[in-house]
Amino acid sequence: MKRLLTALTTGFMSIVLCISVALAEEIKTDYFTLNLPEGWTQPQPMQSANGAVIAFAQNSADKSVLSIAITPVSLPARDMATQTLANMKAGGITVSDPVQSGDTYVAEFTQNQSKGVGYFTSNGKVNSVVIIIGSTTDAGKELMNKQFKPADAKLFPSSY
């Protein structure tokens, strides 16, 4: 009886594990793969047009949002950061000056109760812009540090 119960329990746990693995979402592009653990969802399908790719993820616990955009523009990362931040500032968002961190330019911004951080990187052919917004950016940074796998390491920061 004890062996039967052990076998049933082991079988049940295997099924639960397979189901939880199957339910995990994955965002996969030619540029990156992002595994979404429990609590993270993809609120809308990935979008692509004219060589650009945009993917979104949302954390249900703290309502933070992550966006990853790849643009077929060969602007230097600093120029991409400066232009994007100028547009944000014109829209009423308070932005910091971009700071270089390796090959990436990083800037923080705020609007009302929301905080955000943007990462701007270029590999010389395409640019990436990673934006994390929420009451805190911690969950988004943790997601990117643990679940993000770039196809080209030069296109993204080494850490968030």
Side-chain angles (χ1 to χ4, degrees):
M1 181 69 170
K2 188 174 182 180
R3 284 187 182 179
L4 177 61
L5 186 56
T6 301
L8 287 173
T9 302
T10 302
F12 177 73
M13 292 306 291
S14 296
I15 291 169
V16 169
L17 181 60
C18 287
I19 290 171
S20 66
V21 169
L23 293 177
E25 286 188 68
E26 177 182 79
I27 300 172
K28 187 171 178 77
T29 73
D30 291 341
Y31 302 101
F32 65 87
T33 300
L34 178 62
N35 294 308
L36 299 178
E38 185 177 334
W40 283 93
T41 59
Q42 187 177 7
Q44 63 187 37
M46 184 178 56
Q47 301 170 12
S48 61
N50 300 320
V53 175
I54 301 174
F56 297 96
Q58 182 175 18
N59 184 304
S60 59
D62 69 2
K63 306 296 183 220
S64 57
V65 176
L66 164 73
S67 72
I68 304 170
I70 309 299
T71 57
V73 177
S74 60
L75 278 177
R78 179 178 172 82
D79 293 347
M80 178 66 93
T82 302
Q83 290 178 14
T84 303
L85 295 169
N87 291 339
M88 292 170 78
K89 190 173 185 178
I93 299 171
T94 303
V95 300
S96 70
D97 289 331
V99 176
Q100 187 172 8
S101 176
D103 293 333
T104 299
Y105 283 83
V106 182
E108 295 180 341
F109 53 91
T110 58
Q111 184 177 34
N112 301 326
Q113 301 298 327
S114 295
K115 298 177 184 177
V117 61
Y119 301 87
F120 305 86
T121 313
S122 176
N123 68 1
K125 297 175 186 171
V126 295
N127 290 48
S128 73
V129 178
V130 176
I131 303 283
I132 302 168
I133 301 171
S135 58
T136 175
T137 59
D138 295 342
K141 289 177 181 179
E142 181 179 354
L143 176 70
M144 292 299 289
N145 283 322
K146 292 183 177 180
Q147 302 295 330
F148 183 78
K149 294 171 188 65
D152 177 0
K154 293 181 180 181
L155 186 56
F156 297 96
S158 57
S159 68
Y160 295 85

